[in-house]
Amino acid sequence: MLACILTLSLAFTFTSCSNGSSGGSDDDSGQVTNTTTSKAIYTVTFDANGGAGSIASVTEVGGAEIFLPANTFTKEGYIFAGWATSADGSVSYSDKAKITLTENITLYAKWGITAADAISAIKSFKSSEEHTVTIAGTITADNLTAITEAINNSRAKISLDLGGATGIDSIGDRAFKDCDYLISMNIPSSVTSIGEYAFSGCSNLTSVSIPNSVTFIGNSAFNCCTRLTSIIIPDSVTSIGNSVFSQCEGLTSVTILGRITSIGTSTFYYCESLSSVNIPNGVTTIGEEAFYYCTSLTSMTIPSSVISIGKGAFNYCTSLTSVNIPDNVTSIGNNAFRNCSGLTSVTIPKSVTSINLAAFFNCSNLKTVNYKGSKEDWEKIRINKDDNEPLLNATMVYNYTGE
């Protein structure tokens, strides 16, 4: 019975507006539009999702920002945690949250329990069972410690939804470190920082939802989360530490929406399944071994804001076939593209003043270097060859474009 109770959730669905006296008209697709604004009209519908009561739907023109009405649904023995976009989904919106209407949507009430009740419930679960635990109301750092201990002791696989919880502004250092049976996590919208090693070693963690309130992610926060497959870093994030996703061997895609200025040392070290990552414009440095041994990375767009590529940044990215280094880069670090055996061509801008030791060493298929300057400009670049290893293959073809 507890498992059923803990998995209850709430979602929003938008339903089509009727024409009637609203002044709207149907287009060929059946979408209602407002003839005055020539914009589509969308509706938010609310579902009690096992609770009682009613809430009137909300209708507005597409693109409008609205505040959701205060929840008046009730459910005996439960606390309203927020709104989900499917009946069994995690909390996506808090009570009275502001949203932008882009479609018809139904929001489902998500029901939770107190932290104390959640800890007791987790302790009662048996090994190998799977449960979703939704916590609402106030939660503390001590509660997080007790939850981690309870999960580790019960060995039940837990999806933890804290999206509707309040009271904490950070996931502290090592909060869930080595919590092997945590399989998913919805972080509260009150949280602004994720501490060092917060989820490090959570070997069965497959998904994490980071809210748009987080501004900082600490060193090695998700290190060795080997089953984590994708991550979205929201646009609120301004700083991420070193080795944040290092050795996340199952990570296939990363979306960085944040306003970060650097990809730190070993950020994606040994993420051997990573095939897609966007680096946002505004990043100025790609740190040492940032993408070391990302052997599935087939392409990389380096934004024009980058001025420095660190030592070993792309070492052993064996699936990379071409690299276009942007015009603002001034230095390319030691072994930056070493052992990129799939690399066939590279474009180097005239802005580069130094290329350190063996930047492209052992790139066995690299045949063409396109340099955006003259041969004389190329010869002025400071190239460190202290260990007598060649910078590039002897058979290389150089194209001096003189741009």
Side-chain angles (χ1 to χ4, degrees), residues 6-7 113 118 121-122 125 131-135 158-162:
L6 295 173
T7 56
I113 57 178
I122 294 169
F125 296 153
H131 299 272
T132 297
V133 178
T134 301
I135 298 177
I158 303 298
S159 295
L160 192 59
D161 186 357
L162 304 182

Side-chain angles (χ1 to χ4, degrees), residues 210 212 217 231-238 240 244-245 254-260 267-268:
I210 302 174
N212 203 35
I217 302 175
I231 197 79
I232 297 175
I233 300 175
D235 60 10
S236 57
V237 174
T238 58
I240 60 175
V244 171
F245 299 102
V254 176
T255 301
I256 305 174
L257 303 175
R259 292 165 286 151
I260 61 175
T267 299
F268 299 101

Side-chain angles (χ1 to χ4, degrees), residues 140-160:
T140 67
D142 288 342
N143 291 149
L144 296 185
T145 300
I147 289 168
T148 302
E149 291 176 354
I151 293 173
N152 285 338
N153 289 334
S154 73
R155 298 189 176 185
K157 294 180 179 179
I158 303 298
S159 295
L160 192 59

Side-chain angles (χ1 to χ4, degrees), residues 6-7 88-91 110 122 129-135 144 147-148 151 156-163 171 176 179-188 199 202-210 222 225 227-231:
L6 295 173
T7 56
D88 59 354
S90 298
V91 172
K110 185 78 173 179
I122 294 169
E129 292 180 349
E130 294 188 19
H131 299 272
T132 297
V133 178
T134 301
I135 298 177
L144 296 185
I147 289 168
T148 302
I151 293 173
K157 294 180 179 179
I158 303 298
S159 295
L160 192 59
D161 186 357
L162 304 182
I171 304 294
F176 292 93
C179 190
D180 286 336
Y181 299 93
L182 180 66
I183 61 174
S184 71
M185 178 71 167
N186 188 17
I187 296 173
F199 296 93
C202 292
S203 59
N204 286 297
L205 187 67
T206 59
S207 66
V208 175
S209 178
I210 302 174
F222 297 95
C225 292
R227 294 193 179 182
L228 190 64
T229 57
S230 65
I231 197 79

Side-chain angles (χ1 to χ4, degrees), residues 214-217 233-241 244-245 254-264 267-268 277-286 291 303 305-306:
V214 171
T215 60
F216 171 77
I217 302 175
I233 300 175
D235 60 10
S236 57
V237 174
T238 58
S239 177
I240 60 175
V244 171
F245 299 102
V254 176
T255 301
I256 305 174
L257 303 175
R259 292 165 286 151
I260 61 175
T261 57
S262 68
I263 305 293
T267 299
F268 299 101
V277 61
N278 73 300
I279 300 177
N281 201 33
V283 168
T284 59
T285 59
I286 298 175
F291 294 92
S305 54
V306 170

